[in-house]
Amino acid sequence: MTEFLLNAFATLFVTIDPVGLAPMFLALTAGVSAQDRKRIAYRATITSGIVLFVFFFSGKTVLTLLGISVSAFRVAGGILLFVIAFEMVFDHRNKRKSETAEKVVEHHPSDLNAMAVFPIAIPLIAGPAAISAIILLASQAPTQVAYAGLAGVIATILGSCLLAFLLADKIERMMGDTVQMVVTRLLGVLLAALSVQFIADGIIAFANGTPG
């Protein structure tokens, strides 16, 4: 059981990558106040936690009932992520967020909630890879105790994501405008590559006749 839980922790930590999400969170929330950034962090963590635990308890049943395959989820998530990556690379997102941050907070607070749900909670945290890993790990749990332990592993990873998001504000203060601009564009390129990988994995799965 110990080996199973260690493997589960390593798999989910690498798949979700809380450390790597911190600068991504920072770039996506550019122009947002520290208070609202904290609100986004909590909401994104809670939302992604709900999604991951739904799939932890229900597995493929949820996708089957909705008529959605994991491969289709990969392709759709990849396309949506690519749109975000495009905005980051060409600085459209940062400029738009910086110019409209106060208006969003005062007149459109729901936009901040939407940002927490997409793209931070889904698919950056609770993405196709994480969902697939959880479904697979849950099906491989050797005992009920190990199954319960896997729930603790998922909660630990989510806590790591929240901590990384809360520390992102301190990271921003340490970075100058030039560094932040370079990092944002670099992360945009990486996110674009990740989105293409999601799309390719989904298409390959369909081609191999294993859409689920």
Side-chain angles (χ1 to χ4, degrees):
M1 185 184 72
T2 302
E3 182 179 356
F4 168 77
L5 293 179
L6 289 176
N7 289 337
F9 180 85
T11 299
L12 291 178
F13 192 87
V14 172
T15 302
I16 297 177
D17 190 16
V19 177
L21 286 179
M24 190 72 70
F25 175 81
L26 184 63
L28 290 170
T29 58
V32 177
S33 68
Q35 181 179 1
D36 287 308
R37 182 174 286 164
K38 182 181 295 185
R39 187 185 310 164
I40 292 172
Y42 279 105
R43 185 176 293 272
T45 304
I46 293 173
T47 302
S48 60
I50 292 173
V51 172
L52 293 179
F53 275 105
V54 164
F55 283 96
F56 170 71
F57 289 114
S58 303
K60 289 187 176 180
T61 303
V62 175
L63 293 180
T64 302
L65 290 175
L66 295 175
I68 301 172
S69 68
V70 175
S71 299
F73 192 84
R74 285 195 183 99
V75 174
I79 293 173
L80 295 173
L81 269 182
F82 189 84
V83 174
I84 298 296
F86 181 87
E87 289 188 332
M88 291 172 65
V89 170
F90 292 97
D91 202 28
H92 297 326
R93 188 175 187 84
N94 280 351
K95 288 181 179 178
R96 176 162 52 83
K97 288 297 179 182
S98 297
E99 293 173 356
T100 62
E102 292 185 2
K103 294 181 180 179
V104 167
V105 174
E106 294 176 2
H107 304 291
H108 303 285
S110 60
D111 289 358
L112 296 179
N113 297 334
M115 183 195 303
V117 175
F118 175 82
I120 299 174
I122 306 169
L124 290 182
I125 301 177
I131 290 174
S132 301
I134 286 176
I135 293 175
L136 179 61
L137 289 169
S139 66
Q140 293 177 338
T143 64
Q144 289 297 320
V145 176
Y147 185 78
L150 178 58
V153 169
I154 297 173
T156 300
I157 297 297
L158 290 170
S160 300
C161 291
L162 177 60
L163 180 62
F165 292 161
L166 294 178
L167 292 177
D169 191 50
K170 295 183 179 180
I171 297 175
E172 182 182 39
R173 289 198 293 267
M174 297 172 59
M175 296 168 57
D177 292 337
T178 301
V179 174
Q180 187 171 348
M181 179 181 64
V182 172
V183 170
T184 298
R185 283 169 169 75
L186 176 60
L187 290 174
V189 173
L190 295 177
L191 186 59
L194 178 63
S195 67
V196 171
Q197 186 65 56
F198 281 169
I199 296 171
D201 289 344
I203 293 176
I204 290 174
F206 275 122
N208 292 335
T210 57

